[in-house]
Amino acid sequence: MQVDYTAILEKSVWDLLQYKKNGTIEEVLRIVMEALLKAEQKGFLGYAERDRKNKVEGNKRNGYRKSGLLKGISNYFRINVPRDRLGLFKPVFLELMKQENEKMNELIFQLYVKGLTTKDISQIIQQIYGKYISPSNISIITNNFEEEMQGWLEKPLEEEYYAIYIDVLRIAVRRDNVAKEAFYIVLGLRKDLRREIIEETKEGWREVIKEIKSRGVKEVLLFIIDEFKEIEWPILEHFPNTKIQRCITHKKRNLITKVRLKDRKAILEEFNYILDMDNPYHNQKEALKRLEQFITKWSKIYPSIGRMFIRKQEYFTYLQFPFGMRRMIYTNNWIETCLRATHRQGLNNNIKRTIKIRNSFPNPKSALKLVMFKCMEIETHYMKYPITSLLPFKDKLDAMLN
């Protein structure tokens, strides 16, 4: 049945202007939308309202239901949505509105996690859609991500991992004042050689280890960690058979901050000699011997160097593994570098870039939300495939794990 939508709209608006001269723009919108829905139902049923002559048997009008809240120019409003007796009428007009709103909400959240403020997003939405949404309403929309976030936090983990990397991001968060707070990211290397982001949390590293265990992880061959004080104790408590590798890259960075500029080149050259990364026959015993000589020499000038190496053997655990994979496990910077082949920024660098745009976050929850979204996005797009360069060492890793 052909329906003249233009004539129906013109009549509806004219009636409103004639009989309610002080009507708001929301009332105009309501009248227009309801007229469109009635016209659409007329086309669906094949006869007009109160047209008994052309009435079709089997289905008919069945009153109205109230819509959800719709946003006008300055206020919210509801409209009457017509129903049919058989429940077959699905207004295309409402579905188009729903799809448009979903697209807009998706854009809002994408802009938010890219680092834009709610005020910036409000201005962009107004430019694109010609629709004003307040910063507070944008915050409400972004909160819908929480259900998905909770599902991500509770996803099942593998029982065994070849390696688990733990790194920390320091993000500016506003409480009474703005200060940097620690957020932990945990990356796992599975037995199928795929990478998986296991955890992103504001909790301390003790809770991180406990959470990994409680989510079903039974064995981990190697933990690669930063200079977290006494983190080895909860690791060994929950995973007594694991090995620990302290991050060499972070140790280098810390080392050069303790010495004068004129000595940095010599110290780095000698420290690289201790590591001897290009020597397939290098071993833990020789590395420890070279480290002792290094400490003896330089601690005479810089006493703090001697205090920087407490659990010395944990800096050379990587030497117990096959030569071809040592550069992947001697540092937790793999969280940053393992994605570089497919994603120029790496995981932490990508997140840091987004955080830098935001400057600071109003609370820890908003910061965690952004970190989690970026982790989910990166895992979905860049961690689907196994690390094929590790295939030659898989049998060896399985033997070490068992």
Side-chain angles (χ1 to χ4, degrees), residues 207-368:
E207 287 72 21
V208 170
I209 304 301
K210 186 178 178 181
E211 179 72 10
I212 292 171
K213 184 71 174 181
S214 68
R215 290 173 64 190
V217 180
K218 295 180 179 179
E219 293 292 338
V220 180
L221 179 56
L222 179 68
F223 274 89
I224 301 99
I225 60 174
D226 203 350
E227 297 290 318
F228 307 124
K229 190 176 181 181
E230 298 184 349
I231 190 176
E232 64 275 7
W233 302 121
I235 289 177
L236 295 173
E237 176 187 348
H238 293 290
F239 301 96
N241 298 320
T242 195
K243 303 176 187 292
I244 295 174
Q245 170 65 47
R246 299 274 178 177
C247 178
I248 294 295
T249 301
H250 285 92
K251 178 56 70 177
K252 279 185 181 181
R253 292 173 186 169
N254 293 338
L255 189 61
I256 61 173
T257 64
K258 306 292 184 183
V259 303
R260 292 178 178 177
L261 188 61
K262 68 180 182 68
D263 293 324
R264 287 182 182 177
K265 183 178 178 182
I267 282 178
L268 284 177
E269 286 177 352
E270 291 186 30
F271 195 74
N272 286 331
Y273 172 69
I274 296 170
L275 302 176
D276 209 359
M277 294 299 298
D278 296 324
N279 180 4
Y281 304 105
H282 195 38
N283 58 65
Q284 199 171 23
K285 183 178 179 181
E286 178 62 24
L288 286 168
K289 178 182 174 183
R290 294 179 185 181
L291 178 61
E292 291 294 347
Q293 294 170 347
F294 175 86
I295 292 172
T296 300
K297 174 182 176 180
W298 289 104
S299 60
K300 293 175 183 177
I301 306 171
Y302 304 105
S304 61
I305 287 180
R307 298 190 294 270
M308 289 181 68
F309 296 89
I310 305 300
R311 299 173 65 89
K312 300 182 182 69
Q313 71 279 3
E314 290 179 356
Y315 292 98
F316 305 110
T317 308
Y318 71 94
L319 291 169
Q320 299 176 25
F321 288 77
F323 173 70
M325 65 175 296
R326 289 177 182 177
R327 289 186 182 274
M328 298 182 187
I329 60 171
Y330 84 120
T331 171
N332 64 1
N333 268 27
W334 202 43
I335 291 179
E336 295 182 3
T337 60
C338 68
L339 302 177
R340 205 158 282 163
T342 54
H343 198 277
R344 290 182 63 84
Q345 291 295 328
L347 179 54
N348 272 8
N349 285 342
N350 188 279
I351 296 171
K352 285 175 182 175
R353 181 170 56 86
T354 304
I355 289 168
K356 189 176 181 180
I357 299 171
R358 290 300 307 269
N359 192 24
S360 67
F361 289 82
N363 52 61
K365 191 174 183 179
S366 63
L368 181 61

Side-chain angles (χ1 to χ4, degrees), residues 72-330:
I73 302 300
S74 57
N75 291 303
Y76 287 92
F77 64 98
R78 297 180 188 273
I79 61 174
N80 291 318
V81 181
R83 298 183 299 186
D84 65 311
R85 181 62 58 88
L86 299 180
L88 300 175
F89 176 55
K90 307 293 182 187
V92 174
F93 175 66
L94 282 187
E95 186 59 31
L96 290 173
M97 286 180 59
K98 180 182 175 184
Q99 290 176 8
E100 193 69 10
N101 280 333
E102 287 175 350
K103 287 179 183 177
M104 186 174 67
N105 289 350
E106 177 66 19
L107 176 60
I108 286 171
F109 196 78
Q110 290 287 344
L111 292 172
Y112 179 78
V113 299
K114 295 295 183 187
L116 275 72
T117 65
T118 54
K119 185 177 179 182
D120 292 335
I121 296 169
S122 178
Q123 293 172 351
I124 291 171
I125 293 299
Q126 191 161 19
Q127 288 174 3
I128 295 174
Y129 291 93
K131 184 176 182 180
Y132 174 73
I133 300 180
S134 69
S136 60
N137 282 335
I138 287 172
S139 294
I140 292 170
I141 292 169
T142 60
N143 286 338
N144 293 334
F145 173 64
E146 288 184 13
E147 289 184 15
E148 190 177 351
M149 185 172 75
Q150 194 59 38
W152 173 268
L153 286 171
E154 295 171 358
K155 68 180 179 181
L157 300 179
E158 301 289 306
E159 290 189 357
E160 297 178 320
Y161 286 87
Y162 288 143
I164 285 181
Y165 300 75
I166 304 177
D167 201 2
V168 63
L169 283 170
R170 302 204 176 270
I171 302 174
V173 175
R174 182 179 297 278
R175 293 182 189 264
D176 294 334
N177 52 25
V178 176
K180 291 288 184 76
E181 298 189 15
F183 290 77
Y184 295 88
I185 296 180
V186 183
L187 177 71
L189 177 62
R190 298 157 45 126
K191 291 184 70 177
D192 61 5
L193 303 181
R194 289 192 295 128
R195 296 152 293 177
E196 175 181 37
I197 298 171
I198 294 175
E199 188 90 15
E200 318 80 14
T201 181
K202 174 68 183 68
E203 304 300 326
W205 45 257
R206 291 180 185 275
E207 287 72 21
V208 170
I209 304 301
K210 186 178 178 181
E211 179 72 10
I212 292 171
K213 184 71 174 181
S214 68
R215 290 173 64 190
V217 180
K218 295 180 179 179
E219 293 292 338
V220 180
L221 179 56
L222 179 68
F223 274 89
I224 301 99
I225 60 174
D226 203 350
E227 297 290 318
F228 307 124
K229 190 176 181 181
E230 298 184 349
I231 190 176
E232 64 275 7
W233 302 121
I235 289 177
L236 295 173
E237 176 187 348
H238 293 290
F239 301 96
N241 298 320
T242 195
K243 303 176 187 292
I244 295 174
Q245 170 65 47
R246 299 274 178 177
C247 178
I248 294 295
T249 301
H250 285 92
K251 178 56 70 177
K252 279 185 181 181
R253 292 173 186 169
N254 293 338
L255 189 61
I256 61 173
T257 64
K258 306 292 184 183
V259 303
R260 292 178 178 177
L261 188 61
K262 68 180 182 68
D263 293 324
R264 287 182 182 177
K265 183 178 178 182
I267 282 178
L268 284 177
E269 286 177 352
E270 291 186 30
F271 195 74
N272 286 331
Y273 172 69
I274 296 170
L275 302 176
D276 209 359
M277 294 299 298
D278 296 324
N279 180 4
Y281 304 105
H282 195 38
N283 58 65
Q284 199 171 23
K285 183 178 179 181
E286 178 62 24
L288 286 168
K289 178 182 174 183
R290 294 179 185 181
L291 178 61
E292 291 294 347
Q293 294 170 347
F294 175 86
I295 292 172
T296 300
K297 174 182 176 180
W298 289 104
S299 60
K300 293 175 183 177
I301 306 171
Y302 304 105
S304 61
I305 287 180
R307 298 190 294 270
M308 289 181 68
F309 296 89
I310 305 300
R311 299 173 65 89
K312 300 182 182 69
Q313 71 279 3
E314 290 179 356
Y315 292 98
F316 305 110
T317 308
Y318 71 94
L319 291 169
Q320 299 176 25
F321 288 77
F323 173 70
M325 65 175 296
R326 289 177 182 177
R327 289 186 182 274
M328 298 182 187
I329 60 171
Y330 84 120

Side-chain angles (χ1 to χ4, degrees), residues 12-24:
S12 299
V13 175
W14 176 256
D15 289 344
L16 177 70
L17 295 175
Q18 283 290 99
Y19 300 107
K20 198 168 185 181
K21 298 185 184 295
N22 296 323
T24 65

